Amino acid sequence: MTTYNDLYMDIRRKLRQAGYPAAGLEARELVCCGSRKTKAELIRDAWKYVPPETEREIWSYVERHLNGEPVAYLIGEWDFYGLTLSVSEDVLIPRVDTEVLAEAAIAYVKSLGACRTLDLCAGSGCVGLAIAANAPECRALLGEVSERAARICRQNIQRCGLSSRVSAMTMDALQPPPRSIGEFACIVCNPPYIPRAEIAGLERSVKDFEPYLALCGGEDGLDFYRAISRRWREALTDNGRLYFEVGMGQADAVLRIMRSEGFGDIQAVPDTQGIPRVVYGTMIHEI
């Protein structure tokens, strides 16, 4: 018979051989999922034998992952900025790159005190929830065009214990903002930004499993930056800020779009690799 530790080591080895860079993390998550154990319970039970039916179930998850299915969708959750969030194939998997967007917006929102923030194209709600969790005086609205994604947002609001300050609703980022939502001191957005022609060349785990609606940014990847900069600036208070996550090589184009729509003090923020990952600007409404 096989112990949990031996099973973990075997899976880690198999994933490494297949070229998965996060093999250790993914092996642990798959063993926890298939055995219905928490990480602490897995450590506690490391030298216990795995029941044969449990081992078969764990290996079935491994095979699905080796066939391209992301671990986050297999286990139904993923961590982001200290929060554990529910995910499904209706939303993008939260990524470390997006924590740059959350961190930049959190610093700004905390400096304001009591204010309202909108997370547009919210997906799982990860950015808006991270802001609300780290800025106790902030109230946040999560906006998603997909009703299925909005349901995931609502699950995560409950899961994070933020229902008193965070809500979710369906809204289309390509259309003008509904008048009923009011104004915000901060709008954050991680929009679809992959050019349409490039989607077929993405990794299988992305193009075959993550939602196309959350990936495709139009012919040049910039549709959402244009529409939001033009139409959603009216939903910002005076001196309110709009924060975008941008794809590799898109920062200069987004800077130009925002400048052409009247945003000032436009800045780019690099990720840990030095790649411009966030672009933000301030809206000053003309009197």
Side-chain angles (χ1 to χ4, degrees):
M1 293 183 71
T2 304
T3 66
Y4 283 101
N5 187 69
D6 289 341
L7 180 59
Y8 162 78
M9 297 294 286
D10 289 345
I11 294 169
R12 186 180 70 172
R13 188 179 306 111
K14 191 173 185 70
L15 294 179
R16 278 181 174 169
Q17 289 171 350
Y20 287 87
L25 167 66
E26 293 180 338
R28 184 191 66 192
E29 295 288 356
L30 291 168
V31 175
C32 286
C33 181
S35 64
R36 314 295 195 273
K37 291 183 183 292
T38 65
K39 297 175 184 65
E41 289 169 341
L42 182 62
I43 293 170
R44 181 196 67 195
D45 297 339
W47 302 107
K48 290 185 177 180
Y49 290 116
V50 185
E53 64 275 13
T54 300
E55 185 171 1
R56 284 193 295 271
E57 182 169 0
I58 292 169
W59 278 111
S60 75
Y61 284 125
V62 174
E63 290 305 315
R64 286 169 63 183
H65 183 43
L66 289 170
N67 284 325
E69 192 166 353
V71 169
Y73 292 151
L74 285 166
I75 68 177
E77 63 181 34
W78 207 242
D79 290 346
F80 180 85
Y81 211 84
L83 304 173
T84 299
L85 303 172
S86 298
V87 296
S88 75
E89 291 187 21
D90 297 311
V91 301
L92 287 182
I93 299 164
R95 287 168 167 78
V96 172
D97 285 345
T98 304
E99 293 194 356
V100 180
L101 174 62
E103 187 154 339
I106 287 166
Y108 174 63
V109 169
K110 286 177 75 172
S111 75
L112 299 178
C115 67
R116 298 181 73 224
T117 294
L118 170 64
D119 181 1
L120 195 56
C121 304
S124 64
C126 60
V127 178
L129 289 165
I131 293 169
N134 288 276
E137 295 183 78
C138 170
R139 302 181 70 86
L141 176 62
L142 314 179
E144 245 300 332
V145 69
S146 161
E147 178 53 46
R148 289 186 175 182
R151 282 201 290 269
I152 297 294
C153 284
R154 294 184 187 104
Q155 289 177 26
N156 284 325
I157 290 168
Q158 293 287 335
R159 184 168 187 169
C160 295
L162 291 168
S163 56
S164 65
R165 292 190 289 115
V166 184
S167 58
M169 65 181 287
T170 54
M171 59 183 72
D172 187 348
L174 294 176
Q175 299 301 318
R179 290 182 181 275
S180 61
I181 65 173
E183 291 185 323
F184 302 87
C186 181
I187 298 177
V188 293
C189 185
N190 178 18
Y193 57 65
I194 307 297
R196 184 175 288 111
E198 294 182 12
I199 290 178
L202 297 175
E203 292 181 9
R204 186 183 174 197
S205 62
V206 177
K207 69 180 181 180
D208 290 351
F209 292 94
E210 300 205 60
Y212 180 87
L213 189 67
L215 294 171
C216 183
E219 292 303 315
D220 61 359
L222 301 173
D223 282 2
F224 283 82
Y225 300 111
R226 294 189 189 96
I228 293 166
S229 296
R230 180 178 307 121
R231 294 173 172 163
W232 289 77
R233 61 185 183 176
E234 297 305 320
L236 283 167
T237 60
D238 273 336
N239 297 309
R241 282 190 187 173
L242 172 59
Y243 285 80
F244 282 124
E245 177 174 326
V246 299
M248 188 179 298
Q250 292 180 323
D252 286 345
V254 176
L255 282 162
R256 288 193 295 271
I257 289 168
M258 295 184 75
R259 188 174 294 116
S260 72
E261 296 298 340
F263 285 87
D265 189 28
I266 304 170
Q267 306 284 334
V269 181
D271 62 19
T272 55
Q273 305 301 311
I275 298 166
R277 184 60 59 185
V278 171
V279 172
Y280 71 87
T282 303
M283 187 74 249
I284 301 176
H285 296 291
E286 294 181 3
I287 298 173

